[in-house]
Amino acid sequence: MSQYHVLIPDALDQVAVDVLTKAEGLRVSYPGKLSQEQLIAQASDAHALMIRSGVKVTREVFQAAPHLKIVARAGVGVDNVDLTAATEHKVIVVNTPGGNTVSTAEFTMGLMLALARFIPQGDASLKAGKWDRKNFVGVELRGKTLGLVGFGRIGRAVAKRALAFEMTVIAYDPYVSAESAQADGVEKVELADLYARADFISLHALINNDTHHMINAASIAQMKDGVRIINAARGALIDDHDLAEAIKSGKVAGAALDVYEEEPPPADHPLVGLPNVIDTPHLAASTTDAQVTVAVEAAELIVDYLLRGKLANVCNPAVLKA
Ligand code: MLT
């Protein structure tokens, strides 16, 4: 007799669905990606939700789901879950922080290379029937300084790869010691120093009061002329209008963006469509490798909690006191 209902309102790998289906005592619904209204309706008898970044678990969802015990995020960012509301409703939110590190780091390197060498622009130009070599003269990564804003798992994985490209890597992260950065061949610096020295800046920070719109007119003014900016973390790290102005003026040579404050970005987004901006639709973690790993980990977190009372990777630890 099924005890717990696990609802998967987002697109997730079938292997993870199988992990849940095989566990005795769980009933699994996998309707595919649900709209907000559908999620609110279908969550009414759910004990667990397993999600990616495609759905928002808002206060309304928690209010509509009185039996909900756990939300498992297959991925890192839980900015699509209202953690305060989760805690108030005594729902545990967990994530899978390690599973997509390498995919995201590899994608970041891809964006950096594409940005340095105009690869998407060259491709689009050739496909438009042109043979233009003079407008796509790039720069090497070798010998350039990469500034990493955030030196957690993904920042470190990017550093490792950038060092193999013979870049100098500096990082700003208030939670990391100079010694631990040095052990990875990276110099820990203050933010102003990073802005002043970096030829490429790659963002790997979470959104909070300190980081929201941290790339803005004031911080860009501190950067080197011709800096290139990569963001495969979260869109709200950047003030889009300020960055667009800096790109139009030539202060910033280009940007490669995989994430947007609103996803998908609106048609009039100031950075989408600029010739020196490469835009991708939040693809950094989208590899079969990463999606299987994070989905299976998320499924196991649900099974462990609902059936064995075991918890890991809790994102709202205040709920444990409740
Ligand atoms: C994450 O937070 O794990 C990434 O942005 C990937 C995703 O949401 O799919």
Side-chain angles (χ1 to χ4, degrees), residues 107 111 120-121 255-260 265 269-283:
F107 194 81
L111 289 179
Q121 293 91 334
L257 310 172
D258 186 46
V259 285
Y260 309 87
H269 191 287
L271 288 159
V272 177
L274 285 186
N276 287 353
V277 179
I278 297 167
D279 298 293
T280 49
H282 204 146
L283 295 180

Side-chain angles (χ1 to χ4, degrees), residues 6 88 93 106 110 155 158 161 233 283 286-287 294 297:
V6 183
E88 282 170 24
V93 181
E106 288 182 356
V158 172
R161 286 152 183 80
L283 295 180
S286 292
T287 59
V294 294
E297 270 178 43

Side-chain angles (χ1 to χ4, degrees), residues 52-53 73 75-77 100 234 282 285:
R52 272 189 75 188
S53 55
R73 161 76 159 97
V76 188
N100 55 29
R234 283 296 178 264
H282 204 146

Side-chain angles (χ1 to χ4, degrees), residues 24-35:
E24 257 180 58
L26 300 184
R27 176 168 65 85
V28 184
S29 317
Y30 186 25
K33 191 167 164 1
L34 296 182
S35 69

Side-chain angles (χ1 to χ4, degrees), residues 208-269:
N208 58 37
N209 289 339
D210 294 328
T211 63
H212 185 261
H213 286 191
M214 66 183 294
I215 304 300
N216 55 34
S219 58
I220 291 170
Q222 299 174 56
M223 294 176 194
K224 275 173 124 171
D225 291 345
V227 64
R228 291 173 168 84
I229 297 174
I230 299 118
N231 188 11
R234 283 296 178 264
L237 295 169
I238 293 178
D239 182 313
D240 300 327
H241 290 276
D242 288 1
L243 179 58
E245 287 311 310
I247 289 173
K248 286 183 204 155
S249 76
K251 166 75 187 176
V252 173
L257 310 172
D258 186 46
V259 285
Y260 309 87
E261 196 155 358
E262 188 189 329
E263 295 187 356
D268 61 351
H269 191 287

